[in-house]
Amino acid sequence: MPRIDLSGKAAVVTGGGRGLGLAYAHALAAQGASVVVNDIDEAVAAAAVKSVEEAGGRAVAEVVPVGTSEAAERLVNRAVEEFGRLDVLVTNAGILRDKVLWKMSDEDFDAVLTTHLKGTFTCARAAAVRMREQGEGGTLILVGSPAGQRGNFGQTNYAAAKAGIAAMARTWSMELGRAGITVNAIVPVAATAMTETIPAFAPYIDAMRNGEPLPGFLRKGEGFGTPEDCAALVPFLASGAARGVTGQCIGIGGDKVALWSHPQEIRAAYADGGWTPDALADAWPTSVGAELQSVGIPAPRLPEA
């Protein structure tokens, strides 16, 4: 028997019709889990289910946009109706509305926060209620992003949502621990519709689609690969092998898997009786401000021509 065996378990994957979500659905099904594939496009969801079934897995589609309590209940209820239970939730659904701050509209901001942040919240809440009722534990896998860990130019809404998702994973790991429910955020890096817009990656993604392998400096140095390269982390976290893993942000991509640190204080200074503005100005350059932290996702380190 394989170490990772999800036979008899049921999972919901939001945004599971294509890209990373489809890779997660296939990875769960390959280890024996039955999967509810969620998408907003009926044809895409049906094609995803067919591909899982053709690979020997079991899946059904549920077409609904996440972001409301009603949608979350539909997803949980579908798993229970079809498979009798719910053990794993992967909150992958997301959209982009990228603009710089002064051009981003309320609608741009709200749409992304509704899908990513509220969609994660409502689906996780509904899943947690069901898992607690079952009394057998469970797994919540929240999908984060490097943008949520470090920020990213033009992605106020997306970065804020993904940062919130990381914070929710830490919070829920504490709240749900006694129920045996693990909660982690994964931070995938892969060739997707979003990353292909990055000029440094675009030619390599085009070459990959033409059958050429991604070079080692991307797969190892950048941890950048295909959606399928990110998928193994999901069944691992859903398995008994990861029962002690919770409250973490775990990056995966290409040939690389990594643990992200939690934010923490790195320097401190003290003044008896408290600080004045002048005292801060005097002390800052040689104490707390001696080594400020970088922001943004580092540019790929491309080989020299």
Side-chain angles (χ1 to χ4, degrees):
M1 296 292 292
R3 279 186 66 197
I4 306 300
D5 184 4
L6 303 180
S7 299
K9 294 187 180 296
V12 169
V13 179
T14 69
R18 53 166 63 93
L20 284 165
L22 180 59
Y24 301 150
H26 271 277
L28 288 164
Q31 302 301 323
S34 301
V35 185
V36 176
V37 176
N38 161 250
D39 203 273
I40 60 172
D41 186 314
E42 185 173 359
V44 167
V49 167
K50 183 179 179 182
S51 70
V52 170
E53 292 175 339
E54 288 176 342
R58 186 181 181 196
V60 296
E62 186 65 25
V63 179
V64 64
V66 301
T68 66
S69 298
E70 292 76 16
E73 293 294 339
R74 276 181 56 177
L75 293 172
V76 171
N77 290 342
R78 186 68 188 279
V80 174
E81 290 164 4
E82 295 286 343
F83 310 128
R85 57 187 300 108
L86 176 64
D87 304 280
V88 183
L89 170 70
V90 184
T91 59
N92 173 74
I95 62 172
L96 293 177
R97 298 289 187 273
D98 293 355
K99 290 187 178 76
V100 290
L101 172 61
W102 56 95
K103 293 184 178 180
M104 184 171 290
S105 68
D106 289 1
E107 291 75 18
D108 294 329
F109 186 86
D110 291 345
V112 170
L113 269 289
T114 295
T115 300
H116 286 275
L117 197 61
K118 192 174 180 184
T120 296
F121 163 67
T122 52
C123 289
R125 180 179 60 187
V129 169
R130 175 64 192 181
M131 291 173 185
R132 283 168 52 84
E133 289 173 351
Q134 289 175 178
E136 300 174 29
T139 305
L140 303 182
I141 300 171
L142 318 181
V143 179
S145 166
Q149 304 294 102
R150 297 185 55 88
N152 196 33
F153 189 95
Q155 290 195 312
T156 293
N157 44 13
Y158 181 76
K162 292 302 191 182
I165 285 169
M168 291 195 296
R170 296 169 186 138
T171 300
W172 296 341
S173 71
M174 295 183 283
E175 296 178 349
L176 296 172
R178 290 184 63 183
I181 300 169
T182 61
V183 190
N184 293 285
I186 63 175
V187 185
V189 180
T192 64
M194 185 181 77
T195 54
E196 71 182 1
T197 64
I198 301 173
F201 286 150
Y204 298 101
I205 294 175
D206 287 341
M208 181 187 71
R209 288 175 175 162
N210 290 326
E212 297 180 27
L214 287 170
F217 78 88
L218 279 181
R219 293 190 57 84
K220 288 185 170 61
E222 299 298 323
F224 181 86
T226 67
E228 289 72 24
D229 290 324
C230 298
L233 186 55
V234 169
F236 165 69
L237 289 174
S239 75
R243 282 298 88 193
V245 182
T246 193
Q248 304 303 303
C249 293
I250 306 165
I252 189 166
D255 298 329
K256 178 181 177 182
V257 65
L259 185 68
W260 283 86
S261 68
H262 291 176
Q264 59 184 353
E265 296 175 346
I266 59 170
R267 285 177 176 268
Y270 303 90
D272 292 339
W275 290 92
T276 65
D278 285 342
L280 280 169
D282 290 339
W284 183 265
T286 57
S287 59
V288 176
E291 188 178 354
L292 298 181
Q293 300 299 287
S294 62
V295 298
I297 301 171
R301 296 182 296 274
L302 302 181
E304 294 182 4

